[in-house]
């Protein structure tokens, strides 16, 4: 995704989060990542010390891992910050 589309996506997400939730609020992140312990560890580190509950589920062939993270976030900006941090990890798909 190019920078302009990314900015537009995050702006729309922020508006939707402002409208749909009162903050602070629990937020559910979902990512698909190639099954690679290093990449999964990087995601864990991004959410360290946040009180996040992280669930992993491998695909039927084990090639990919679904990562679901439930964490209490202060506001939509904090939600977006985490998406941007995880987005730097190669091969991760945000759902």
């Amino acid at each position: 995704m190019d920078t302009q589309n990314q900015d537009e996506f995050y702006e729309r997400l922020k508006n939707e989060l402002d409208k749909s939730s009162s903050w602070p609020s629990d937020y559910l992140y979902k990512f698909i990542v190639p099954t690679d312990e290093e990449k999964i560890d990087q995601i864990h580190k991004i959410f360290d010390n946040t009180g996040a509950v992280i669930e992993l589920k491998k695909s039927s062939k084990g090639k990919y891992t679904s990562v679901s993270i439930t964490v209490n976030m202060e506001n939509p900006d904090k939600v977006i910050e985490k998406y941007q941090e995880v987005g730097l990890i190669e091969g991760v798909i945000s759902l």
Side-chain angles (χ1 to χ4, degrees):
M1 187 180 314
D2 65 39
T3 305
Q4 183 179 353
N5 286 344
Q6 217 172 28
D7 291 343
E8 289 173 7
F9 170 78
Y10 288 128
E11 189 62 34
R12 279 194 315 272
L13 176 61
K14 180 179 179 182
N15 289 334
E16 288 299 315
L17 291 172
D18 276 332
K19 290 177 194 173
S20 66
S21 299
S22 58
W23 298 93
S25 181
D26 283 349
Y27 187 79
L28 174 63
Y29 292 91
K30 287 190 167 259
F31 304 105
I32 302 294
V33 61
T35 300
D36 174 334
E37 289 304 317
E38 185 177 320
K39 292 181 190 298
I40 294 168
D41 285 345
Q42 287 177 301
I43 294 172
H44 273 272
K45 286 178 185 162
I46 289 169
F47 289 92
D48 266 359
N49 301 315
T50 62
V53 176
I54 301 174
E55 296 176 37
L56 305 174
K57 183 178 178 187
K58 286 188 181 177
S59 63
S60 58
K61 294 184 181 177
K63 189 173 181 182
Y64 295 97
T65 299
S66 166
V67 182
S68 299
I69 302 167
T70 304
V71 62
N72 191 275
M73 300 302 287
E74 285 180 39
N75 57 50
D77 291 324
K78 297 293 183 184
V79 170
I80 290 168
E81 281 177 24
K82 293 297 184 192
Y83 271 122
Q84 290 172 329
E85 286 181 63
V86 173
L88 298 174
I89 302 170
E90 187 179 339
V92 174
I93 298 169
S94 298
L95 303 176

